[in-house]
Amino acid sequence: NAGVTQTPKFQVLKTGQSMTLQCAQDMNHNSMYWYRQDPGMGLRLIYYSASEGTTDKGEVPNGYNVSRLNKREFSLRLESAAPSQTSVYFCASSERLAGSYNEQFFGPGTRLTVL
Amino acid sequence: GDSVTQMEGPVTLSEEAFLTINCTYTATGYPSLFWYVQYPGEGLQLLLKATKADDKGSNKGFEATYRKETTSFHLEKGSVQVSDSAVYFCALSDRAAGNKLTFGGGTRVLVKP
């Protein structure tokens, strides 16, 4: 099993350009998440999908959109990139959102630079 | 809202030294607690977890005890190795807040031979 995969690994954009970050998981998980990681701030939740067909905003959703394409895939789109979106982006998945605890499995990350 | 506070790094140690990383939290409900580790160039991996008070999570020589009275979940390892060099994140999952993970800022640990 590959677990959680993300593409691309690295990307450089100019301000105003758009792009989509792809994420897929092969663990048959119901819930998927997008985080951004900035120095000293830990991981902050951008959007999540509790189950196929649903998406919800997290802590920092402005400037992003998401699509839960099917149970396996969850993409993150930047419509008009800004330098403030320079970050490392992680996708994660978990069996479900509800329950006594929520163990999440993470992809390797996408390092995005916006000039 | 929920929050997690952990000591800032970097923490630099010699091999075989004792490691402690402090973590305290605030939560609306009764959270589950986690430590994740991020090795250079990789995503986060779950290191250990505890789901109720006085539970001790352990893995790879690391331990942390869920202390409800002090709202803490400090990570410890008795003898670190160079391979333990990584960034460590404390996190909580609170059912009252929708069961999403809330992370601390991360602590970078560097172990020198």
Side-chain angles (χ1 to χ4, degrees):
Chain A
N1 286 351
V4 179
T5 57
Q6 293 182 234
T7 55
K9 285 189 175 355
F10 302 94
Q11 184 70 49
V12 178
L13 294 177
K14 295 181 180 178
T15 297
Q17 288 185 318
S18 62
M19 79 161 294
T20 300
L21 281 64
Q22 305 288 352
C23 173
Q25 52 91 8
D26 63 2
M27 295 174 282
N28 202 35
H29 284 169
N30 289 297
S31 303
M32 298 185 74
Y33 315 81
W34 276 106
Y35 293 89
R36 58 177 291 171
Q37 181 183 28
D38 301 295
M41 301 185 74
L43 276 74
R44 293 181 292 169
L45 183 64
I46 304 171
Y47 270 93
Y48 67 100
S49 171
S51 60
E52 186 179 357
T54 69
T55 60
D56 285 287
K57 295 178 180 179
E59 183 184 353
V60 288
N62 290 348
Y64 305 95
N65 285 300
V66 290
S67 295
R68 183 74 184 267
L69 304 170
N70 48 54
K71 191 171 185 180
R72 289 186 63 248
E73 298 173 287
F74 188 40
S75 62
L76 178 72
R77 183 161 177 82
L78 287 69
E79 290 290 352
S80 179
S84 60
Q85 294 178 304
T86 293
S87 188
V88 181
Y89 291 85
F90 288 100
C91 178
S93 71
S94 66
E95 186 176 336
R96 60 191 182 283
L97 188 59
S100 61
Y101 66 92
N102 185 9
E103 179 176 346
Q104 296 183 15
F105 296 81
F106 285 79
T110 295
R111 186 174 294 275
L112 175 66
T113 301
V114 183
L115 303 175
Chain B
D2 295 349
S3 66
V4 176
T5 303
Q6 57 183 109
M7 57 192 294
E8 291 189 25
V11 175
T12 303
L13 302 165
S14 296
E15 214 166 15
E16 299 184 2
F18 185 87
L19 171 67
T20 299
I21 304 176
N22 290 338
C23 171
T24 57
Y25 67 90
T26 58
T28 307
Y30 194 148
S32 296
L33 302 174
F34 307 84
W35 277 100
Y36 279 83
V37 58
Q38 183 181 29
Y39 298 105
E42 298 183 9
L44 280 70
Q45 303 172 24
L46 180 65
L47 181 59
L48 53 84
K49 63 180 184 284
T51 59
K52 61 182 188 295
D54 300 324
D55 267 2
K56 179 184 284 188
S58 62
N59 187 24
K60 299 182 180 180
F62 289 89
E63 292 183 340
T65 301
Y66 190 143
R67 300 290 188 199
K68 194 167 187 291
E69 64 277 12
T70 55
T71 62
S72 65
F73 192 54
H74 305 323
L75 183 68
E76 297 181 335
K77 186 174 186 182
S79 177
V80 293
Q81 306 300 313
V82 172
S83 57
D84 293 324
S85 298
V87 181
Y88 293 83
F89 292 92
C90 186
L92 68 83
S93 174
D94 185 356
R95 190 182 297 190
N99 244 3
K100 296 181 288 297
L101 283 176
T102 300
F103 287 88
T107 302
R108 182 176 299 277
V109 173
L110 177 61
V111 180
K112 296 186 174 181

